[in-house]
Amino acid sequence: MDLLGTSLLADMEGWTPIDKNTRLIRLDGPWLWNRLSWLSLAVGAQLFTYVRFGMDHPISGRTWRLFRGRSLPAPPAPQVSPPGDQDASLIAVRDRPRYFGFGTQLRQAIAIGGNSFWSIAKSWSGLTLVALLALGTGLFAPEYMTWFGVPLLARTQEVLPILAPPLSSLTTPWILIPLLIVFYAGELLWREREAGLQALFATTPVPDWVQFVGKFGGLALMITVWVSLLMLAGLINQVVMGYHQFEIGVYLQTLFGIQLTNYLLFAGLVFAIQVIVYQKYLGYLVAMSAYGIILFASRIGVEHKLLIYAADTGWSYSDMNGFGPFIKPWLWFKLYWGSWSLLLAVVATLVWGRSHDRRINARLHLAQRRFPRYKTALLIALGLVASSGGFIFYNTNVLNEYVNEAHQKRMRADYERRYGHYARATCPVLTRTQLQVEIYPDQGAADLRATYSLVNRSTLAIDSIHLSLVPNVVISAISVDRPASTVVLDEKLGYRIYALKKPLQPGELMRLRFRLQIKSHSFTNNGVDDAVVANGSHIDSNEWMPVIGYDDDRQLHHAQDRERYGLAPRPERPSLYDSRARYQTRHAERMDFEAIVGTVKDQIAVAPGALRRRWRKGDRQYFHYQTNAPIINEYAFFSARYAVREAQWVAPMPGAQPVTIQIIYHPAHQANVTRMMKSAQASLSYYTREFGPYPYAHFRVLERPGPGRGMHAEPMTIDYQEGYSLMNPQPGGLDLPYHIMAHEVAHQWWGITFAAAGVEGAGVLIESLATYSAMQVVEQTLGYGHLMRYLTQMRAEYEVPRSRAAPPLLRANNRFMTYRKGPFALFALRNYVGQDRVNDALRELLRKYSPNPPLPTTLDLYRELQAVTPDSLQYLVHDLFAANTFWDLKTQEAVARQTPTGAWQVTLIVNARKVVVDSLGRERYLPMNEWVEIGVVTPAGPGEPSAKPLYLQKHRIRSGRQRIRVILAGQPVAGVALQAGIDPHHLLIDPDMDDNVKGVKKQSVGRRRVR
Ligand SMILES: [Zn+2]
């Protein structure tokens, strides 16, 4: 079905670096057939047109001549009327009063509008296309309203983004509406001319603006009907999804406030283009080009929204925060673009052609004659464009610094170039953070006063303090508690150095104080900062707080960027064997934390630690938090009108102190709270038992505005966006919220208690171990069948075409490897050596861990896994982790027959080979002689979680084709087809999973006797 042949690009995703360097795009395979079939279709269409096209002029055609010859009378002879006859033919017309006032013009405009509307409505595509699309969008909601196979709750905030995509969105079926606007604008404007009535129409006593406004009004009315159909699509979607709380007000605001405005602005542009270009098909071409610029502006490097027609800084609607602070800049941008479309409309009216004369001169002459009448309108439009544009520019480029992508990268490059040599400067360690935070939700502002306690943990005296500030964050009143002078104060790149008069001696402590203000500087070209909002503030330390020393997280990582900005090449991540990188401990260091957070009286403010005290002062409410154990330097403040579900959890071991679990959520989003609580408790119990104690007295889970469905873990705190609470798992289906929760709780061990060195493979120690740990919790609480359902869903990603070339898992460098391949490798190993053995290895890894350098890497994990694996399976640990191994396993045939004793024997013919692929794509086949599962199963019936095995054993498998005979443990159910195959549970990494298992053929008893 690929018309343009671009599917080739998708296929090339699977090419290895060697392929990309050496392989040519060959005309073969399905791509060749695809090209051939489309090419022949195109040639066919051309031939058909050529053969059927009448080159003759219709008048001179034979049939026409025949027709004409018969029906057209000969031109009548000129008649000369006798004089005196004229009086008789006169008809007396009564002199009716005629009005040409505004009322008449309005009626004319309405008449033209109505007429235009109906001409679209009656055309074949005017209503039907949009109505069909709306119906499809509504009825097929269950097909797309899912996430990893889990249905979504069709709350209005979930449905709206589907119905109201931005004009610049390419990946939406609603791209249909702008295309229809382009088409019908041309049709309407050229209607009279195409009917040959232009001359007649031009003589009617209808002013130019009335025609323009009337036709535009007709199209606008049609767009309004289309938008109503969008709303209908949303309502059908919700009904089909079984959701019945229709928020009509939100629909009206979004669709008729936001989306209709966008479409009308676009229609204004297209109308003006058609009128100004004054040639229908050229007009289409220019209008489509203009739409192309809107669609691809960011890709051609146009970033400022003052330059992209109808652009805005985006909006979002959330149950927690409504339209939030996003709507104000939206309104300003729409006022600006509305003024432009008014200006375009006036210009279009000026050059509106009433005559046949298409020459530029004639039209300019006409415009000149009309100008005095439209002068005021033109001036008003110009004034509006200038004033609203000026206000926006003042906000985006004067009040705030205008930073485009290139500028941002250049700043990062400058930061590295100028201060990179301080990366190894000895810095004191942050041991305690004390904060006094005032959050003002209604003003979008916050005021933080911080005290950092810094200790010299090195063996050298430290004579200067380096500080990396987040660019554009206002920090004031920086002071240290000893005499010091400022050596470097770089506001632009955010770097400061204070020279201490008296150096900080080893073991000595000093304090650094500063004040940080979060103010809404109205809006930038990227919108508004949403850290502090009316309901659902979230101030993340990583985004705001200064870092002690040089911050290498801010460096450019991509090789291309580094080259472009003149930086020395550097691997995206330090090598696994880079021993110096194991001494970078900033993300592993621990500190005590204490904060007093104030907010408005009807909101709850949250920070890490136990709530020591809570009090009111005036119309504000204060919360004092303090941690009972040190945390890594990653934390956040939250403030919103929350509901709280609380439970106590006690570790299953003697003398354990109770831990308070709190789920702090938006009151309307309570659907998943119970399963979250269950998952948190089950996870804490499992991890405590298997890996070691949970260090804190609190565990909190908080909701914040936003569409994301994942969660984010910080010490003793997990936060999630609203999208998570809109997952709606069904009984018998995958309970993904439960699993995600278990994964995030696991991060309290993997990633927070246990911090890995920032080298290749770090993601395996954090994400793979968290996912693998969560799999054990899910298996233990929801059952093995549920785990299988989860694994099947996760394996779907294996089917995305991707290159087999990759480093081994120990040097994993992308999400696919750390979130999918890593957990699967651990799961495979678990199935070979046993769950307890793998847990022993993980526990040992944690036991040996220390936050002091050198920090652990995947090599430490590898060593522990080797230690728990018997010699006979050491090859497997190597194949799974230390090499990029694939197993091509295939069942060619499976035949069952009954033995004379009545038992059933299944004979399989399987093919096996093992290949190791390096990161360039070089393949090396290895001889196989290893254990692989052979299974015979009754497939899962409807409603059953997994297949029932009649046989499942590991067999010694060699490379190549081989025959295997197994005797089934039970009798196959009559009438149910058996399935048999090699590695039926896909423990080993096999890119082609579909051929592992085959249906079993039953050999009839009769034939056996004959043989
Ligand atoms: Zn994670």
Side-chain angles (χ1 to χ4, degrees):
M1 288 311 287
D2 174 22
L3 176 66
L4 299 175
T6 48
S7 62
L8 187 74
L9 292 177
D11 286 349
M12 282 173 70
E13 287 286 303
W15 285 22
T16 64
I18 288 186
D19 284 341
K20 283 180 186 159
N21 287 336
T22 58
R23 217 168 122 179
L24 297 174
I25 297 176
R26 274 206 310 261
L27 271 173
D28 58 5
W31 196 68
L32 172 68
W33 289 112
N34 167 290
R35 294 293 78 203
L36 276 181
S37 53
W38 281 110
L39 199 68
S40 40
L41 197 73
V43 171
Q46 288 291 327
L47 278 177
F48 178 80
T49 320
Y50 179 75
V51 171
R52 296 296 306 241
F53 191 78
M55 285 295 182
D56 310 334
H57 194 272
I59 298 299
S60 56
R62 197 157 41 89
T63 33
W64 182 254
R65 219 173 16 239
L66 272 173
F67 175 69
R68 195 183 65 170
R70 240 183 297 137
S71 61
L72 280 188
Q79 285 180 5
V80 182
S81 10
D85 255 15
Q86 274 173 0
D87 285 355
S89 64
L90 268 182
I91 299 165
V93 176
R94 263 194 294 156
D95 195 21
R96 303 278 296 194
R98 274 163 286 185
Y99 303 103
F100 296 104
F102 184 71
T104 313
Q105 293 175 353
L106 201 65
R107 274 204 297 278
Q108 288 170 335
I110 291 172
I112 294 175
N115 193 287
S116 304
F117 173 77
W118 284 113
S119 76
I120 306 176
K122 283 179 198 157
S123 75
W124 63 274
S125 59
L127 271 175
T128 32
L129 270 185
V130 181
L132 283 176
L133 187 57
L135 205 64
T137 305
L139 291 178
F140 291 106
E143 295 297 315
Y144 61 85
M145 293 279 286
T146 64
W147 199 70
F148 282 96
V150 178
L152 298 174
L153 198 65
R155 277 187 82 88
T156 312
Q157 84 171 78
E158 192 71 70
V159 178
L160 283 177
I162 301 164
L163 302 176
L167 265 185
S168 58
S169 172
L170 259 176
T171 53
T172 163
W174 296 109
I175 201 167
L176 177 70
I177 292 187
L179 294 178
L180 285 177
I181 290 174
V182 170
F183 176 70
Y184 281 113
E187 286 297 304
L188 284 183
L189 285 167
W190 295 96
R191 232 170 114 214
E192 292 80 19
R193 214 170 289 263
E194 287 190 334
L197 296 173
Q198 174 62 17
L200 201 63
F201 193 64
T203 59
T204 51
V206 178
D208 307 317
W209 72 265
V210 168
Q211 291 190 34
F212 193 81
V213 167
K215 293 191 173 202
F216 184 77
L219 183 60
L221 191 61
M222 184 39 83
I223 297 174
T224 314
V225 173
W226 290 337
V227 170
S228 316
L229 287 169
L230 278 173
M231 180 158 164
L232 194 68
L235 295 175
I236 298 174
N237 173 317
Q238 292 187 316
V239 172
V240 170
M241 295 296 291
Y243 184 85
H244 300 111
Q245 271 170 272
F246 307 113
E247 290 165 273
I248 301 296
V250 180
Y251 269 115
L252 294 178
Q253 286 177 61
T254 310
L255 295 178
F256 292 92
I258 291 174
Q259 203 61 358
L260 183 62
T261 309
N262 287 339
Y263 289 147
L264 290 182
L265 284 175
F266 183 67
L269 174 72
V270 174
F271 244 69
I273 287 175
Q274 277 289 358
V275 173
I276 293 167
V277 171
Y278 209 55
Q279 209 289 338
K280 186 178 176 187
Y281 294 96
L282 196 61
Y284 278 149
L285 187 71
V286 177
M288 283 308 290
S289 311
Y291 186 40
I293 292 173
I294 293 176
L295 285 176
F296 297 107
S298 63
R299 281 180 229 185
I300 53 178
V302 182
E303 287 180 42
H304 207 300
K305 282 156 185 129
L306 281 176
L307 303 175
I308 307 164
Y309 187 82
D312 56 62
T313 50
W315 60 274
S316 76
Y317 176 79
S318 114
D319 284 344
M320 280 186 88
N321 195 31
F323 288 100
F326 308 107
I327 216 68
K328 184 182 146 194
W330 187 91
L331 284 170
W332 274 106
F333 272 97
K334 294 302 144 162
L335 176 65
Y336 170 72
W337 286 114
S339 317
W340 264 107
S341 63
L342 180 66
L343 184 66
L344 283 172
V346 176
V347 172
T349 318
L350 281 175
V351 299
W352 175 260
R354 283 184 86 120
S355 68
H356 277 297
D357 204 343
R358 286 175 185 237
R359 283 169 309 158
I360 303 259
N361 279 348
R363 296 180 63 202
L364 283 180
H365 183 71
L366 196 66
Q368 214 172 16
R369 269 209 355 243
R370 288 171 179 164
F371 182 72
R373 238 182 306 156
Y374 295 102
K375 208 165 89 185
T376 328
L378 197 68
L379 285 176
I380 291 176
L382 274 173
L384 277 172
V385 168
S387 53
S388 58
F391 180 79
I392 292 173
F393 188 82
Y394 175 68
N395 274 282
T396 56
N397 292 52
V398 180
L399 269 187
N400 296 287
E401 195 183 350
Y402 172 65
V403 191
N404 60 14
E405 214 184 301
H407 185 144
Q408 224 156 13
K409 285 181 181 165
R410 205 174 317 117
M411 271 175 62
R412 287 168 66 173
D414 286 346
Y415 176 81
E416 179 175 346
R417 230 186 323 266
R418 209 164 302 166
Y419 305 111
H421 58 280
Y422 292 129
R424 267 178 278 166
T426 313
C427 290
V429 173
L430 178 61
T431 56
R432 182 180 180 80
T433 298
Q434 278 168 291
L435 287 150
Q436 168 90 43
V437 183
E438 296 282 357
I439 299 176
Y440 303 101
D442 301 326
Q443 298 157 36
D447 190 352
L448 291 84
R449 284 163 205 275
T451 306
Y452 280 0
S453 299
L454 306 173
V455 172
N456 182 356
R457 290 240 176 99
S458 77
T459 51
L460 305 165
I462 295 173
D463 59 4
S464 57
I465 302 293
H466 294 240
L467 212 55
S468 286
L469 277 56
V470 182
N472 297 322
V473 170
V474 188
I475 292 216
S476 57
I478 302 188
S479 69
V480 285
D481 63 352
R482 56 177 58 210
S485 58
T486 313
V487 187
V488 170
L489 201 161
D490 187 340
E491 294 275 17
K492 196 163 170 288
L493 298 176
Y495 204 85
R496 295 188 185 203
I497 303 176
Y498 296 95
L500 303 175
K501 295 252 155 57
K502 204 170 114 257
L504 191 68
Q505 298 303 321
E508 210 182 340
L509 178 141
M510 65 172 280
R511 287 205 173 79
L512 171 81
R513 291 193 176 82
F514 61 90
R515 179 176 177 195
L516 187 157
Q517 278 160 298
I518 299 176
K519 270 195 282 219
S520 68
H521 280 294
S522 52
F523 55 91
T524 70
N525 190 49
N526 298 320
V528 279
D529 187 274
D530 58 351
V532 183
V533 291
N535 185 38
S537 303
H538 172 239
I539 304 171
D540 185 344
S541 65
N542 286 325
E543 282 167 31
W544 298 94
M545 303 302 279
V547 165
I548 304 295
Y550 175 77
D551 184 359
D552 42 6
D553 293 349
R554 220 190 278 176
Q555 298 184 149
L556 286 175
H557 295 292
H558 287 289
Q560 263 179 344
D561 288 339
R562 294 188 66 83
E563 196 186 328
R564 184 172 312 146
Y565 294 99
L567 296 171
R570 214 183 53 147
E572 275 190 26
R573 245 173 196 286
S575 151
L576 174 59
Y577 306 99
D578 179 348
S579 53
R580 221 180 59 211
R582 301 182 63 182
Y583 285 81
Q584 302 279 335
T585 54
R586 184 157 71 80
H587 296 291
E589 277 152 9
R590 267 127 238 278
M591 61 177 193
D592 292 319
F593 179 90
E594 186 177 1
I596 294 171
V597 193
T599 186
V600 286
K601 64 170 184 260
D602 62 340
Q603 296 199 358
I604 296 176
V606 183
L611 181 61
R612 294 269 171 258
R613 201 159 80 87
R614 177 177 176 166
W615 68 96
R616 280 268 172 99
K617 196 165 132 195
D619 55 358
R620 290 183 65 76
Q621 183 164 211
Y622 289 87
F623 301 80
H624 180 189
Y625 292 96
Q626 192 174 16
T627 54
N628 67 318
I631 61 170
I632 54 170
N633 187 6
E634 251 184 64
Y635 53 90
F637 302 101
F638 301 83
S639 172
R641 287 183 291 278
Y642 281 125
V644 182
R645 176 91 55 94
E646 192 171 299
Q648 297 287 318
W649 169 82
V650 185
M653 48 186 59
Q657 290 299 306
V659 171
T660 308
I661 303 177
Q662 288 174 317
I663 294 175
I664 304 174
Y665 59 98
H666 180 60
H669 293 172
Q670 80 288 53
N672 287 330
V673 171
T674 303
R675 58 162 53 88
M676 287 162 78
M677 183 62 91
K678 276 189 191 154
S679 175
Q681 286 171 325
S683 304
L684 285 170
S685 298
Y686 183 87
Y687 305 145
T688 309
R689 198 175 61 235
E690 296 295 330
F691 305 143
Y694 175 72
Y696 308 111
H698 281 80
F699 180 77
R700 291 197 188 91
V701 189
L702 290 112
E703 185 167 12
R704 64 192 179 89
R709 297 194 208 284
M711 290 182 140
H712 170 77
E714 282 172 352
M716 77 183 82
T717 309
I718 288 172
D719 66 74
Y720 63 98
Q721 294 193 334
E722 287 165 276
Y724 173 91
S725 39
L726 299 181
M727 276 188 276
N728 188 18
Q730 298 300 302
L734 176 62
D735 191 348
L736 202 56
Y738 191 97
H739 194 103
I740 295 176
M741 186 78 193
H743 171 106
E744 299 302 325
V745 179
H747 276 316
Q748 297 298 326
W749 281 262
W750 309 117
I752 291 174
T753 305
F754 177 92
V759 296
E760 292 170 316
V764 171
L765 292 181
I766 297 170
E767 298 306 340
S768 303
L769 290 182
T771 302
Y772 174 74
S773 306
M775 279 155 62
Q776 316 306 311
V777 175
V778 166
E779 181 184 7
Q780 208 179 55
T781 49
L782 304 183
Y784 187 72
H786 200 104
L787 178 62
M788 287 298 116
R789 206 171 285 147
Y790 172 78
L791 293 182
T792 306
Q793 192 63 46
M794 295 303 116
R795 261 190 219 109
E797 211 168 312
Y798 267 95
E799 282 157 13
V800 178
R802 86 179 69 241
S803 166
R804 276 153 66 119
L809 204 47
L810 291 181
R811 289 172 45 220
N813 55 7
N814 62 39
R815 280 182 68 85
F816 171 74
M817 294 186 86
T818 55
Y819 281 86
R820 297 288 181 270
K821 217 176 153 180
F824 278 121
L826 286 158
F827 184 71
L829 189 65
R830 170 203 121 145
N831 275 270
Y832 278 84
V833 305
Q835 185 176 12
D836 293 344
R837 291 286 190 84
V838 175
N839 278 354
D840 286 345
L842 300 184
R843 184 166 41 244
E844 200 55 19
L845 186 66
L846 271 165
R847 197 185 60 77
K848 289 182 185 159
Y849 172 77
S850 144
N852 299 322
L855 292 177
T857 66
T858 43
L859 293 175
D860 297 282
L861 170 69
Y862 190 57
R863 213 169 297 124
E864 298 304 336
L865 292 175
Q866 280 177 317
V868 296
T869 306
D871 287 348
S872 60
L873 287 170
Q874 287 294 338
Y875 76 89
L876 183 67
V877 189
H878 175 270
D879 287 349
L880 289 172
F881 293 92
N884 181 37
T885 313
F886 295 89
W887 286 263
D888 290 332
L889 305 171
K890 187 174 175 178
T891 301
Q892 285 182 336
E893 202 181 293
V895 180
R897 67 187 183 93
Q898 207 162 14
T899 60
T901 56
W904 280 86
Q905 186 189 56
V906 177
T907 308
L908 297 105
I909 296 180
V910 298
N911 232 324
R913 56 181 191 171
K914 180 160 86 171
V915 57
V916 170
V917 187
D918 70 10
S919 34
L920 288 177
R922 279 184 295 246
E923 304 198 345
R924 196 156 50 91
Y925 286 92
L926 297 181
M928 263 179 94
N929 181 17
E930 58 196 58
W931 298 106
V932 182
E933 271 184 353
I934 298 290
V936 181
V937 296
T938 311
E944 287 172 341
S946 59
K948 287 182 290 291
L950 286 170
Y951 179 87
L952 188 64
Q953 290 284 325
K954 292 195 176 67
H955 285 240
R956 205 87 194 160
I957 298 291
R958 293 168 285 104
S959 309
R961 197 176 131 100
Q962 53 217 288
R963 186 186 301 266
I964 296 159
R965 283 208 181 82
V966 304
I967 302 284
L968 301 191
Q971 295 286 326
V973 183
V976 176
L978 288 179
Q979 295 223 302
I982 180 166
D983 197 22
H985 290 134
H986 307 292
L987 298 177
L988 303 172
I989 299 151
D990 181 351
D992 191 359
M993 294 186 290
D994 296 335
D995 60 6
N996 284 26
V997 176
K998 235 183 142 71
V1000 178
K1001 275 186 269 176
K1002 266 187 200 158
Q1003 212 168 56
S1004 71
V1005 177
R1007 259 177 59 202
R1008 181 165 50 91
R1009 279 204 185 121
V1010 171
R1011 215 164 30 156

